[in-house]
Amino acid sequence: MPTILRLPPGSRHALLAGLLACAGCSSSTYKVGIAVDPPTASVYVNGERVGAGSRRVYEIDFGANERICIQAVASSHEPVTEMFTRQQINDQISKYGDFSWVLKQEK
Amino acid sequence: MPSHLTRPARRATAIAASLLFAACGSIPTRTLEIRAIDADERPVPCIVVVGGQEWSAAAKNQQFVHLKGDEPLRLPVAFERSEVDIIVAAVPVDGQGQVRQVPRSRPESTDMTGMLADFRRVRVTDPERMLFILRRK
């Protein structure tokens, strides 16, 4: 016979709040290596400049978002804009490791 | 017909049904923070056109960014579909940051400014802060 856990009403709310808090704590941060040629390029994550082109590992937080945006821009070069889901980030890390972009020179 | 549900259970069911109905009926809206730069990372004065909107309507609604400074445009966007197209196109401005002429299309913007518009298909679950990078023609 299954055991039924009976809790007083106040405890039930506390338990529910605890479960929700745990769900919210699940990690959404990834360590991602990004290298851009030329090394003078700027790297932007979600619209914010995070560094330059030479290889560096970034901590990228999805937060509540389903995708993140990584961009690279350099003077006299064509910029790159890419959107990634968590799955795509995981696939990239497991199959190829770093993200590596070579920006094309503008004609 | 007598219900087998108790009064609190009926009330809970009614509330749940109302919430579900409200969730299905409303259009999600998100305020996006939009900036536009060129390859040298300088702000570019731009018009922001959302989801097949008329360019003149975007101008009337003052959907411009970086006319006078590098402050982003905070623009509420209703996601009537799962994805909304956003075009950010350069506009010609005078010394006071007034738009000299509003383009009506991407080619017209390029003709007026020598810059190629940037485009993105945005989801409601994407980051709010968006950077558009415009290239020279």
Side-chain angles (χ1 to χ4, degrees), chain B residues 16-30:
Chain B
S18 312
L19 287 173
L20 186 66
F21 183 74
C24 293
S26 64
I27 296 168
T29 300
R30 205 137 188 237

Side-chain angles (χ1 to χ4, degrees), chain B residues 6 18 23 25 40 42 48 56 60 68 81 89 91 98 130:
Chain B
T6 60
S18 312
D40 294 318
R42 289 180 302 218
V48 179
S56 56
K60 200 174 169 189
K68 287 178 182 169
R81 296 178 187 167
V91 291
Q98 298 293 317
M130 296 191 170

Side-chain angles (χ1 to χ4, degrees), chain A residues 95-107:
Chain A
K95 287 180 190 164
Y96 309 107
D98 286 358
F99 286 87
S100 183
W101 286 297
V102 178
L103 304 187
K104 280 187 204 163
Q105 273 212 304
E106 281 178 347
K107 289 167 192 167

Side-chain angles (χ1 to χ4, degrees), chain A:
Chain A
M1 189 176 149
T3 308
I4 298 169
L5 182 63
R6 289 193 184 281
L7 296 167
S11 310
R12 259 181 261 161
H13 290 144
L15 181 64
L16 184 62
L19 287 171
L20 287 172
C22 283
C25 289
S26 62
S27 176
S28 61
T29 304
Y30 295 78
K31 285 190 175 170
V32 180
I34 300 175
V36 183
D37 184 33
T40 52
S42 289
V43 177
Y44 288 82
V45 174
N46 293 342
E48 209 164 313
R49 191 180 186 280
V50 291
S54 48
R55 187 200 178 267
R56 205 180 118 186
V57 176
Y58 297 92
E59 280 205 5
I60 294 179
D61 187 8
F62 275 77
N65 303 312
E66 283 184 8
R67 300 195 296 179
I68 53 149
C69 180
I70 302 179
Q71 292 166 294
V73 59
S75 189
S76 306
H77 289 74
E78 293 182 14
V80 167
T81 296
E82 299 269 8
M83 302 292 294
F84 296 100
T85 62
R86 288 163 208 249
Q87 185 61 53
Q88 287 168 328
I89 292 281
N90 279 327
D91 289 350
Q92 171 73 26
I93 291 168
S94 61
K95 287 180 190 164
Y96 309 107
D98 286 358
F99 286 87
S100 183
W101 286 297
V102 178
L103 304 187
K104 280 187 204 163
Q105 273 212 304
E106 281 178 347
K107 289 167 192 167

Side-chain angles (χ1 to χ4, degrees), chain B residues 52-79:
Chain B
Q53 185 181 31
E54 287 289 329
W55 287 53
S56 56
K60 200 174 169 189
N61 198 32
Q62 288 298 306
Q63 291 172 204
F64 295 107
V65 64
H66 304 324
L67 293 186
K68 287 178 182 169
D70 57 2
E71 282 299 301
L73 171 69
R74 292 183 59 78
L75 182 66
V77 174
F79 284 79

Side-chain angles (χ1 to χ4, degrees), chain B residues 102-131:
Chain B
V102 176
R104 289 166 298 182
S105 65
R106 292 170 73 168
E108 212 172 86
S109 161
T110 303
D111 287 345
M112 289 176 185
T113 63
M115 305 288 289
L116 297 166
D118 194 8
F119 159 87
R120 202 168 305 163
R121 190 154 282 174
V122 178
R123 300 178 188 168
V124 70
T125 51
D126 282 346
E128 287 174 359
R129 190 174 297 169
M130 296 191 170
L131 178 70

